[in-house]
Amino acid sequence: QVQLVESGGGLVQAGGSLRLSCAASGSIFRINLMGWYRQAPGKQRELVAATISGGSTNYADSVKGRFTISRDNAKNTVYLQMNSLKPEDTAVYYCKVVVVTTTPKYEYWGQGTQVTVSS
């Protein structure tokens, strides 16, 4: 079993910054992917940023140049530094990991953390 604990959401004014973190724990042999997704009211969940085990990263076009994903392998933790936030970034942000573990299940999601950007 794998557990994810997210933190760092909150309320910020447009132009401000927030940093999200997601720590994975449990019976993890290898983490293949760590990423952040978000879901705004009435919209589908979408990829924000992800990093794979080789170190490459992928960003949604809407956040390129403003958000940075990073990973601390020793702590099994992924971070999302969000700068120059816009009201349209308001959403619930979810951490996702793809792991090799003791069970057939390999994809896990965090509980979500609310990010609200006021104009």
Side-chain angles (χ1 to χ4, degrees):
Q1 192 71 300
V2 175
Q3 297 81 39
L4 300 179
V5 177
E6 300 175 10
S7 62
L11 173 64
V12 65
Q13 288 188 332
S17 299
L18 284 173
R19 188 193 196 207
L20 306 182
S21 65
C22 173
S25 62
S27 301
I28 300 171
F29 296 132
R30 185 175 71 246
I31 299 179
N32 291 328
L33 179 146
M34 302 188 85
W36 291 95
Y37 290 70
R38 66 186 180 188
Q39 188 166 19
K43 294 188 177 181
Q44 288 188 331
R45 191 173 297 188
E46 63 176 1
L47 171 70
V48 177
T51 176
I52 64 174
S53 58
S56 62
T57 57
N58 186 33
Y59 293 92
D61 288 343
S62 60
V63 306
K64 284 180 180 177
R66 300 189 297 122
F67 292 10
T68 303
I69 190 169
S70 61
R71 177 173 164 176
D72 185 332
N73 291 325
K75 297 180 179 179
N76 285 344
T77 299
V78 62
Y79 305 96
L80 185 67
Q81 178 66 43
M82 304 185 293
N83 299 329
S84 302
L85 282 160
K86 304 175 181 180
E88 51 263 44
D89 295 317
T90 295
V92 178
Y93 283 69
Y94 296 91
C95 173
K96 170 184 168 180
V97 297
V98 175
V99 301
V100 177
T101 181
T102 57
T103 68
K105 182 179 179 181
Y106 58 90
E107 182 178 286
Y108 293 85
W109 291 87
Q111 79 280 6
T113 185
Q114 177 70 47
V115 171
T116 303
V117 184
S118 63
S119 57

